[in-house]
Amino acid sequence: MNRPAESELVPLADRLLVLTVVRLVMAAVVVGGGHAAATTATYVAVAVGAELARRTARVRGIAVVNVMLLVDGIWLATALADAPSLWFLLHLHVVAVTLLLSYRTGLKIVAWHTLLQFAAGVLGVAVDPVQSLGVWLVALGTAAFSSVSERELRRGKAELRAHAELAAELEETRNADEVASLLLAHAVRFFGFARGAVVLGPRCRVRTGDVETVLEGPDGSPLGVLGRTWETRVPALVHVLGDDDGLLDAALPFATNLVVVPMVAGGAPVGALVLEQGGGRRVRMRGRVVAAVAKLAAHAALALRNAALLDEVGRLAHVDALTGLSNRRAFEEALDREVARAARSGEAVSLAMFDIDHFKAVNDTLGHQGGDAVLRAVAAALADACRDADLPARYGGEEFAVLLPACGAGEAYRVAERLRAAVAATVDVTMSAGVAALPAHATSADELLRTADDALYAAKRTGRDRTVRARARSSRHAVPHRRRTRRGNPRPAQASAARGQG
């Protein structure tokens, strides 16, 4: 006999216990009819002993089951030889074995019973061939129904395993592209689709077999079936793509028989899973497959939303809430990186510090909300006028800093003047600026920050609305400067008064 357990919905031990009960019931029927009492008593003792041995002793359970199935056949053959009217017990045994163990085991058992009946016929015991045929019909019918049930149980178990595996991997994923890749790999591999794509905004990740590519679609392109599924929140089955499905047609050219599953989290669409089955118009996609794919997409949608929230938290940790520029923490991290990179490459790096002139008067005139509006306008003007490589940041209060990679002292001065002019042209304020460069004015990030800040203070002292360049290290002499730390901004009274008065 083969391994009897094909499905693990019910534990093997519980099913074997039920089979033991069936044996006892059959034995009771035989003894109650006054047949083969001694043989049945021996059979019951063997059956109970085998079950106890399987449960208590270190005996292989499968071996015990297989031996007992052979014993069942021998005992039933003996009982039927004594009482032919008990043929229904043979039917009961075949049905029980088929349903409790497996349809394959049931077919093998009916073959064993047939062999024993043939042997009984050879020994002179009358055997009705119609009854033997009836046992086969019962076995085949039961096996057919059992195989369908077991196949569905295995499929359900495999789907649960696929969901669990995807969920476990998504727990370790914090990136939207990685979430899309995992979802696509699981869906295509598990359900056997020809191709698939995951759409995240204008970006579409396409998978054919084990090969993945990323396609960027044009912004504002027609959404077609994607837009319709996002509106209805219901998967859509599409035979061929339409003229308004430009992104999907580019991702899956000549695709046929697709399922488009919207990915929605928090009431808003976050993407879509598109899978191609292929084939002609008569090909139909099973509803259970669509439902299972929708469950996978729902898991991934939540993971995408969590990834977006984590990205937003990370962004807010490095962005000034009022102006939208990088905050002081992000600026100082970037300053350390750029200074280290410049030290390795030998390139220059510069820093420009800006302070709004007479900002106290702005607050006194416009109020704090008006002052905040001015800060936002200045920040926007600085951001628009900076190069892509530059990093503008709000350093504190009305003070701004711009990190200038690959920029020497002379160029940094011209950039600062251009930025001051851009602010003055946009906002009705002026700014003072101080610039310093590495290695011309400093050898470390702290020293670069300090010398640029000293130059800014010199611009405030000498009349404001101007840019002052730091002195070279060789010509620098002791000048009182504001002792500021990297993580704080304590200022002496003189500096505070100069800034406060503008």
Side-chain angles (χ1 to χ4, degrees):
M1 302 296 171
N2 68 329
R3 179 179 293 272
E6 293 287 340
S7 168
E8 296 180 4
L9 183 64
V10 178
L12 176 62
D14 294 345
R15 286 178 278 137
L16 293 181
L17 178 60
V18 174
L19 187 57
T20 300
V21 172
V22 171
R23 290 181 175 121
L24 295 178
V25 170
M26 292 191 300
V29 171
V30 171
V31 173
H35 308 290
T39 305
T40 302
T42 303
Y43 167 72
V44 169
V46 171
V48 173
E51 180 65 13
L52 292 176
R54 188 189 64 80
R55 288 178 173 271
T56 59
R58 294 186 176 181
V59 180
R60 288 190 60 195
I62 300 303
V64 173
V65 172
N66 290 334
V67 170
M68 279 306 305
L69 290 176
L70 299 177
V71 172
D72 291 342
I74 296 173
W75 171 73
L76 281 171
T78 303
L80 292 178
D82 187 46
S85 61
L86 298 179
W87 265 89
F88 69 91
L89 294 180
L90 202 60
H91 293 212
L92 175 62
H93 185 255
V94 170
V95 171
V97 170
T98 303
L99 295 181
L100 291 174
L101 300 182
S102 76
Y103 70 91
R104 295 184 183 89
T105 305
L107 292 176
K108 292 181 179 181
I109 281 300
V110 76
W112 172 239
H113 285 308
T114 302
L115 179 62
L116 290 175
Q117 294 303 317
F118 177 77
V122 171
L123 295 176
V125 178
V127 178
D128 188 349
V130 175
Q131 289 180 326
S132 298
L133 179 61
V135 173
W136 271 102
L137 293 176
V138 169
L140 291 173
T142 306
F145 297 136
S146 177
S147 66
V148 173
S149 176
E150 288 182 10
R151 185 167 59 251
E152 287 301 306
L153 289 175
R154 288 196 299 271
R155 181 194 59 78
K157 180 182 176 182
E159 288 183 3
L160 289 175
R161 184 171 61 250
H163 290 309
E165 290 176 357
L166 179 61
E169 293 186 31
L170 289 178
E171 286 183 1
E172 306 297 327
T173 306
R174 298 294 182 266
N175 179 272
D177 284 340
E178 292 179 1
V179 171
S181 181
L182 283 174
L183 171 62
L184 199 52
H186 275 74
V188 171
R189 182 179 69 250
F190 180 76
F191 294 102
F193 286 98
R195 290 183 294 175
V198 173
V199 180
L200 300 177
R203 174 179 294 181
C204 187
R205 183 176 292 272
V206 185
R207 185 179 186 91
T208 304
D210 294 329
V211 180
E212 282 194 17
T213 56
V214 177
L215 177 69
E216 292 287 349
D219 292 336
S221 58
L223 294 177
V225 67
L226 291 174
R228 293 191 290 274
T229 57
W230 283 335
E231 289 178 1
T232 61
R233 306 290 199 267
V234 177
L237 298 176
V238 181
H239 175 60
V240 292
L241 296 171
D243 295 335
D244 56 351
D245 296 312
L247 177 59
L248 290 183
D249 189 49
L252 302 171
F254 309 109
T256 58
N257 295 320
L258 302 100
V259 56
V260 182
V261 182
M263 299 167 62
V264 181
V270 295
L273 173 62
V274 185
L275 299 169
E276 180 193 8
Q277 182 169 322
R281 288 189 173 275
R282 294 188 177 182
V283 175
R284 293 291 181 267
M285 193 174 300
R286 295 183 179 180
R288 65 171 182 81
V289 174
V290 176
V293 169
K295 291 179 181 179
L296 288 180
H299 278 303
L302 292 176
L304 286 173
R305 184 167 181 263
N306 291 337
L309 290 175
L310 289 174
D311 289 343
E312 182 65 12
V313 170
R315 187 189 69 82
L316 292 177
H318 291 81
V319 172
D320 177 64
L322 177 63
T323 64
L325 297 180
S326 296
N327 59 18
R328 181 167 177 168
R329 174 184 176 181
F331 165 76
E332 290 183 344
E333 291 175 355
L335 177 63
D336 289 335
R337 288 196 304 269
E338 286 300 323
V339 168
R341 184 194 61 78
R344 291 192 303 269
S345 64
E347 292 183 349
V349 60
S350 296
L351 175 62
M353 303 290 294
F354 298 87
D355 191 271
I356 301 176
D357 296 328
H358 305 292
F359 188 69
K360 183 177 182 302
V362 172
N363 274 333
D364 292 342
T365 303
L366 302 178
H368 289 291
Q369 289 185 345
D372 289 346
V374 169
L375 290 173
R376 285 192 290 267
V378 169
L382 286 174
D384 289 341
C386 283
R387 305 174 302 173
D388 291 339
D390 299 338
L391 176 67
R394 185 185 181 196
Y395 197 74
E398 69 275 16
E399 191 171 359
F400 297 85
V402 179
L403 183 60
L404 305 168
C407 183
E411 186 180 357
Y413 180 86
R414 292 188 292 272
V415 170
E417 285 291 276
R418 177 170 57 82
L419 294 178
R420 287 197 321 106
V423 171
T426 306
V427 191
D428 189 20
V429 294
T430 62
M431 300 186 75
S432 300
V435 297
L438 184 148
H441 306 124
T443 58
S444 66
D446 285 326
E447 188 177 6
L448 182 63
L449 180 61
R450 186 174 64 249
T451 53
D453 191 59
D454 288 343
L456 171 59
Y457 180 54
K460 303 293 284 188
R461 283 190 299 110
T462 56
R464 303 178 183 85
D465 191 18
R466 66 192 64 205
T467 299
V468 172
R469 184 164 39 188
R471 289 182 297 277
R473 283 183 291 146
S474 59
S475 63
R476 192 180 308 147
H477 56 84
V479 176
H481 63 269
R482 293 162 292 128
R483 297 183 181 276
R484 59 167 58 198
T485 64
R486 294 294 301 279
R487 299 301 174 192
N489 193 23
R491 299 170 177 169
Q494 182 183 9
S496 297
R499 296 292 173 86
Q501 294 172 2

